[in-house]
Amino acid sequence: MSQSKTIKVTCPFCKKEHEFTVHPSLNVTLDPELKQKVLDRSLFSFTCPDCQKESPVFYPFLYHDMEKSVMIQFCAREQVEGYKKALQDSCEQAKDLAKVDMFKDYRYRIVTDLNDLNEKIYLFDAGLDDHVVELAKLSVRFQLKSQHNIEKLYYQKDRKDDLLLVQSEGKFIGTVPLTKELYEAYKTYYEERKDTEPFCIDENWAASLIMQEPEVPKA
Ligand SMILES: [Zn+2]
């Protein structure tokens, strides 16, 4: 079930205080309308009834998709370690109580950026493994290195095509295809290694996996 509560927010423009509904827990299987509101950010947008200006309100929340067996915690960077511990504890409790290995059946992720959250939602919806996508991103980053100063790559689906959206100098400058060949090559690479980090799967994670094992597949 989704949870919501009302908090007081102060409009940054006119400084008046108003109520705002936050959702510390979102179950998008039971409340599918909330999913679109996460993706388009309307859930984090406060419109001041006094001055009509819009401002963002961010707060930690758990995104839960029962169909895809995915839980994604969104929080501030300094809260990551706390949420890691809390998630680990609740998984261990479930193991003791119900003899359910939640790690086996579920993917738990922690993200600190809403762009990263959207990306995880899109790639899990597409049935992809985020470990493999992060490894493939490193390869694409390496290939584009001489042409662009790449800040970040984001997975995106355009109709049937898997793409990586390229962000450079604060702007999105285009897309490159995430080919089946590249994905499959890194899928094999990942399956031969595996890894124990369950929560923070990003390019840093991918870089540390590759560092341990310098042989990378060619695609
Ligand atoms: Zn206002």
Side-chain angles (χ1 to χ4, degrees):
M1 239 181 59
S2 303
Q3 294 165 2
S4 63
K5 64 177 182 181
T6 305
I7 61 163
K8 296 246 191 270
V9 297
T10 304
C11 172
F13 299 100
C14 69
K15 315 290 179 209
K16 298 247 172 67
E17 200 179 63
H18 290 285
E19 290 191 334
F20 182 74
T21 305
V22 297
H23 303 263
S25 177
L26 297 165
N27 187 318
V28 299
T29 309
L30 301 178
D31 303 302
E33 75 286 356
L34 290 177
K35 180 173 176 175
Q36 194 47 45
K37 291 183 178 174
V38 169
L39 291 170
D40 67 17
R41 313 256 165 111
S42 52
L43 220 55
F44 319 109
S45 174
F46 163 72
T47 305
C48 175
D50 277 302
C51 71
Q52 314 303 326
K53 287 195 171 122
E54 245 183 281
S55 51
V57 181
F58 297 129
Y59 51 88
F61 65 90
L62 183 71
Y63 174 96
H64 184 187
D65 186 331
M66 291 156 75
E67 254 166 55
K68 304 269 170 358
S69 303
V70 171
M71 282 197 199
I72 311 170
Q73 178 69 49
F74 172 78
C75 64
R77 213 170 281 274
E78 57 273 19
Q79 294 173 310
V80 169
E81 288 309 314
Y83 277 107
K84 270 190 186 180
K85 179 140 192 358
L87 280 169
Q88 215 131 27
D89 288 349
S90 58
C91 290
E92 264 154 40
Q93 262 173 13
K95 224 175 186 170
D96 289 345
L97 288 173
K99 305 272 174 246
V100 183
D101 188 351
M102 289 168 79
F103 278 118
K104 220 176 102 215
D105 304 319
Y106 253 83
R107 283 160 298 181
Y108 297 89
R109 300 290 182 263
I110 301 174
V111 295
T112 57
D113 182 307
L114 287 175
N115 285 335
D116 294 339
L117 175 71
N118 281 20
E119 177 187 50
K120 294 278 180 212
I121 295 171
Y122 293 137
L123 71 84
F124 288 138
D125 280 358
L128 299 178
D129 183 336
D130 55 345
H131 299 96
V132 179
V133 173
E134 295 301 339
L135 286 163
K137 274 188 201 175
L138 280 189
S139 164
V140 169
R141 183 186 274 276
F142 192 75
Q143 286 164 37
L144 294 177
K145 191 174 66 170
S146 57
Q147 306 157 43
H148 302 287
N149 177 23
I150 297 172
E151 281 159 12
K152 239 177 140 164
L153 293 162
Y154 291 100
Y155 170 79
Q156 224 185 26
K157 185 130 193 149
D158 181 30
R159 293 196 185 92
K160 274 199 252 152
D161 297 324
D162 294 313
L163 301 171
L164 293 172
L165 185 61
V166 183
Q167 183 185 315
S168 175
E169 286 157 23
K171 287 187 299 234
F172 292 118
I173 57 164
T175 58
V176 286
L178 172 63
T179 63
K180 285 237 161 5
E181 291 74 21
L182 186 67
Y183 185 86
E184 289 303 323
Y186 276 101
K187 191 166 174 245
T188 310
Y189 177 85
Y190 175 62
E191 277 165 4
E192 282 166 1
R193 281 156 190 86
K194 294 284 183 188
D195 186 71
T196 50
E197 165 61 47
F199 301 121
C200 298
I201 306 304
D202 52 18
E203 275 195 75
N204 290 334
W205 165 85
S208 66
L209 190 79
I210 283 184
M211 293 271 243
Q212 291 163 28
E213 180 57 76
E215 286 171 32
V216 292
K218 290 199 174 67

